[in-house]
Amino acid sequence: MAIAPLSTTLSEEPTAAPARSVRRTRGGIEWPTVAVVAVIVAILALLVVYPLTRILYTAFGPAGAKVMSSMVTSPVNRGILINTLGLGAAVGALGTVLGFLLAYAQVRVDFKGKRALHLICLLPIVSPPFAVATAIITLLGRRGIITYGLFGAQADIYGFTGLTLVLVLSFFPVAYMNFRGLLQALDPALDEAASNLGANGWQTFRKVTLPMLVPGFAASFLLLFVEAIADLANPLVIGGDYTVLASRAFIAITGEYDVAAGAAYSVVLLLPAVLVFLVQRYWVGRKSVVSVSGKPAGKPRQITAAAGRVPLMVFAIAVGFVVVAVYATVLLGGLVKILGVSNEFTLDNYRYVLSGIGNESIKDTTILALVATPIAGLLGMLIAWLVVRKLGPRAAALLDFLGMLGLAVPGTVLGIGYAIAFNTPVIRNHRMFFPALGGGSAILGGAIAIVMVYVIRSMPSGQRSGIAALQQIDKSIDEAAASLGANSITTFRKVTLPLIRPALLSGLIYAFARSMTTLSPIIFITTPSTQIMTKQILSEVDAGRFGNAFAFCSLLLVIVLVVMGLLSLAVRRGSLPNQSSRGTL
C-alpha cells in the first residue's frame, strides 16, 4: 500500500527531522489554519452569500413584494409556479427510472459493448446545454427528419412534452452514475443468501435489492428535480408557451428591464431548490443502508434468464442509440447547409464560427474556464480538508453548507444576484488581468465576474470528492507529520494533497466541463466586451441558424474532451511513484 510506508516512517522515526515550533491559539488551533478558514469564509461570502443577500433584499422590496404576492393571487403566476413544479416532478421521476434501468443493466446484465454504452451515457454531462434540445427539434420538430421526413407528420415538439424529453436526456446521467455506484457496492452475498432460501430472481430484486436502493432513488429524484426547475437554456429553446420560473425571471430582466420582478421570481425559484437541498442533506446524514461490515466479496450476480436479460439489454441499447442519434445530429448538422433540408456538405458553418465574434467567444470562454478550473479545484480540496480534518462538527457542517450553496442555488438566481450585486465599475479595466480578453468597464460584464461564477458553481463537486477521499485516509498520517514539526499548511501541501490526487483530478475535470457549458448564471453578466460560447449558441438558435449552432456545439465538445484528457495526463504524470509513500517535510 502507498500509505503504509509513510505512516511507518513518520511514526517509527519521530526524531529523523528536527521538530519545528507550530504557533497555536489558546484553544490549540494553529494560526495558519485560522488564517485559511478566514480567507475561505471571506471568499464564500463574496462569491455566494453577498449576491444572495442582495437578491433577497431586492425581492422583498416594495416592487418585488408585489410580484411575490402575485404568485398566490395571480392565476398566470400560479400557473407558472405549477408548471415549474410539474416539470421538476416529471423529469425527476422519469430521469431516475431511466438512470436506474441503465445502471442495473450495466452492472447486472452481461452483454457486449457495456464499456461503450457507459461512455455514451456520460456524453450529456460534458455537452453544451443546447445540444440535445437543438438536435431534438431537428429530428422531431414540425419539419423534423424523423417526424416529417419519415412519417409525414408535423409534430409540435415545443412545450411540456419536448422540454421533459430534452431534460430527461440531459440529466439522466446524474441518476445513472448514482445507481451504478450503489449497485456495484452491494454485497453479492445478499443475492446468494436469498437464492439459498428459495427466492427467485424477481423476488430477490423486489425484496432484497430494491429496498437497499431506496436512498438512491430519493437522492436521484431530488437532484434531478432541482436540475430541472433551475434549467434556463432548454426552456428558452424548446419551452414554447410552457413558461417556468427560470424563463420568466429571464424575460423580466432582459425583456421588461424589471430587476425587482426578476429578483422576486428568482427567490420563488430559490425556495424549493434550497428546501430540496436541505432535505437531501438530512436524508444522507440520517439514512444509511449497510449491507456488510467489510468490502463486498466477488462480482455482482449476473442475470442469465432470458425473461430479465433480454428486455434490459434491448432497453439499454435503445437508449444508447437515441443518445448516439442526438449527438450524430449535432456533428452532422455542422457539416451540411441545413440538415434534413439541404444536406449538401459545407464548411461554411465552421468558417463562420472560427471567424469574428465566434472565434472571440471560443478564445474568451476557454481562457476563463482555464483560469477558474485550478482555483475551483484548490478551493474544493481546502474546504474538504478543513471539514474532515480541522474543524469541529458544527463549524465543519456550516463550512460544508456554505461551500455547497454554489451548487444548491439555481444558476438563474445566482446570475441575477451577481447582476444586482456587481453592477458598478469596480475594476475599470480587466486587461491587466486577462490581456487576451480586451477591456471592460465593470465587474458585471468583465472576465472577473464570470470567473467568480465559474468557481462557485464548479467548486462543490471537488469539495464532495475531496471529502470522500479524505474520509478514507487515516488521520495518523497527519498526526505523524505534526510530530515532525510540520504545520497544517505544510502537511496539506506535501502529504494530504498528493494522497487525494484522484479527487483533485475529478474536481478539475468537472470544473472545466461545467465552466465551458454553463449558461444560466452568466447570461445576465456578459457584455460585448467578453463573449461566451453558450450565449453565442443561444443567439444562433434564436436566429434559426442551426448549422452554426451545431458547429459551435461540436467545437465546444471537442475542446472539453481534449482539455479533460490533458488535465488527466498532467495530474497523473505529476504523481511520482514514491511521492505518495514518502513525503518530504
Side-chain angles (χ1 to χ4, degrees):
M1 296 292 290
I3 298 177
L6 173 62
S7 178
T8 303
T9 301
L10 294 178
S11 60
E12 292 181 357
E13 301 178 11
T15 59
R20 307 174 197 174
S21 60
V22 180
R23 299 178 63 186
R24 298 178 181 272
T25 64
R26 292 181 180 178
I29 301 177
E30 298 173 355
W31 281 112
T33 302
V34 174
V36 171
V37 172
V39 170
I40 288 180
V41 170
I43 292 174
L44 294 178
L46 175 66
L47 295 185
V48 67
V49 177
Y50 177 59
L52 284 180
T53 303
R54 290 299 305 272
I55 199 173
L56 289 172
Y57 177 81
T58 305
F60 287 100
K66 293 181 180 179
V67 176
M68 295 191 68
S69 63
S70 70
M71 298 303 300
V72 178
T73 60
S74 171
V76 174
N77 284 341
R78 280 204 310 270
I80 294 174
L81 179 59
I82 293 173
N83 286 351
T84 304
L85 298 178
L87 179 66
V91 173
L94 294 175
T96 297
V97 172
L98 178 60
F100 167 72
L101 291 176
L102 287 171
Y104 196 80
Q106 182 73 219
V107 176
R108 295 298 181 93
V109 179
D110 187 16
F111 61 93
K112 295 182 179 179
K114 290 174 65 172
R115 178 63 178 173
L117 178 64
H118 173 66
L119 296 176
I120 290 171
C121 290
L122 298 182
L123 270 178
I125 295 178
V126 298
S127 67
F130 308 99
V132 177
T134 311
I136 289 296
I137 293 173
T138 303
L139 294 173
L140 304 177
R142 297 185 182 97
R143 293 282 175 172
I145 297 175
I146 296 177
T147 52
Y148 185 80
L150 295 181
F151 300 103
Q154 292 187 343
D156 187 4
I157 197 65
Y158 295 91
F160 175 78
T161 302
L163 190 54
T164 301
L165 173 62
V166 168
L167 291 176
V168 168
L169 290 176
S170 299
F171 297 140
F172 82 85
V174 176
Y176 165 74
M177 292 299 295
N178 185 22
F179 283 115
R180 184 171 180 265
L182 289 173
L183 286 167
Q184 289 176 334
L186 291 181
D187 191 352
L190 296 173
D191 292 351
E192 296 175 4
S195 178
N196 292 336
L197 292 175
N200 57 31
W202 170 248
Q203 290 173 328
T204 302
F205 170 78
R206 184 168 55 89
K207 294 184 177 181
V208 178
T209 305
L210 207 57
M212 300 289 289
L213 298 176
V214 168
F217 278 98
S220 297
F221 175 82
L222 293 176
L223 283 172
L224 266 64
F225 178 87
V226 172
E227 291 283 358
I229 67 173
D231 186 71
L232 174 62
N234 291 300
L236 293 179
V237 174
I238 201 171
D241 295 333
Y242 193 85
T243 306
V244 293
L245 284 171
S247 58
R248 184 66 186 90
F250 174 79
I251 294 171
I253 295 290
T254 61
E256 300 170 356
Y257 305 104
D258 191 342
V259 176
Y265 288 121
S266 297
V267 169
V268 177
L269 176 63
L270 176 66
L271 293 177
V274 173
L275 180 61
V276 165
F277 174 70
L278 293 175
V279 169
Q280 184 192 18
R281 284 176 64 88
Y282 176 82
W283 182 279
V284 172
R286 296 284 181 173
K287 299 290 184 180
S288 63
V289 178
V290 179
S291 60
V292 288
S293 58
K295 294 183 178 180
K299 296 182 179 180
R301 187 177 182 182
Q302 300 292 300
I303 298 176
T304 56
R309 179 176 178 273
V310 173
L312 283 171
M313 182 177 63
V314 171
F315 176 80
I317 294 175
V319 174
F321 177 78
V322 171
V323 176
V324 169
V326 167
Y327 288 95
T329 301
V330 173
L331 296 176
L332 292 175
L335 295 172
V336 299
K337 288 186 176 180
I338 304 176
L339 187 61
V341 178
S342 177
N343 295 322
E344 181 181 350
F345 175 80
T346 181
L347 293 177
D348 290 343
N349 298 320
Y350 284 94
R351 292 191 185 98
Y352 172 82
V353 168
L354 295 174
S355 63
I357 194 172
N359 186 50
E360 289 296 321
S361 67
I362 295 173
K363 181 177 64 175
D364 290 2
T365 307
T366 306
I367 292 176
L368 293 177
L370 289 174
V371 170
T373 294
I375 299 174
L378 181 59
L379 276 178
M381 294 302 106
L382 282 172
I383 293 176
W385 173 65
L386 291 173
V387 168
V388 177
R389 289 286 193 263
K390 295 298 177 181
L391 299 180
R394 293 184 179 180
L398 178 60
L399 184 62
D400 186 31
F401 175 76
L402 288 176
M404 293 300 296
L405 267 182
L407 186 62
V409 175
T412 304
V413 179
L414 192 65
I416 295 177
Y418 267 67
I420 296 173
F422 304 116
N423 61 351
T424 56
V426 178
I427 297 177
R428 292 292 176 183
N429 195 329
H430 63 249
R431 190 184 295 273
M432 67 181 69
F433 298 98
F434 305 103
L437 299 177
S441 60
I443 194 172
L444 167 65
I448 296 178
I450 297 174
V451 169
M452 291 165 65
V453 171
Y454 284 169
V455 169
I456 198 62
R457 291 290 285 176
S458 55
M459 182 191 69
S461 175
Q463 177 181 329
R464 299 318 307 169
S465 60
I467 289 175
L470 284 169
Q471 288 174 340
Q472 298 176 3
I473 298 176
D474 196 334
K475 291 183 179 180
S476 63
I477 296 177
D478 291 358
E479 295 170 358
S483 70
L484 293 175
N487 61 28
S488 294
I489 305 302
T490 302
T491 302
F492 173 78
R493 182 169 56 89
K494 293 189 175 182
V495 178
T496 306
L497 199 57
L499 291 175
I500 59 174
R501 193 177 295 271
L504 175 61
L505 173 61
S506 174
L508 292 176
I509 288 176
Y510 181 85
F512 182 78
R514 191 173 184 93
S515 298
M516 289 292 294
T517 59
T518 192
L519 173 73
S520 303
I522 62 170
I523 196 171
F524 301 97
I525 58 172
T526 56
T527 65
S529 62
T530 304
Q531 302 295 333
I532 299 298
M533 287 185 71
T534 50
K535 188 175 180 180
Q536 292 302 313
I537 297 173
L538 177 61
S539 299
E540 297 300 323
V541 173
D542 284 342
R545 296 188 291 264
F546 281 17
N548 294 339
F550 285 138
F552 262 122
C553 290
S554 300
L555 287 175
L556 196 155
L557 188 59
V558 169
I559 292 172
V560 169
L561 293 176
V562 168
V563 174
M564 285 171 59
L566 293 176
L567 282 174
S568 179
L569 184 64
V571 172
R572 289 175 181 174
R573 284 192 173 183
S575 180
L576 298 177
N578 296 325
Q579 185 176 5
S580 61
S581 61
R582 290 183 182 269
T584 302
L585 298 177

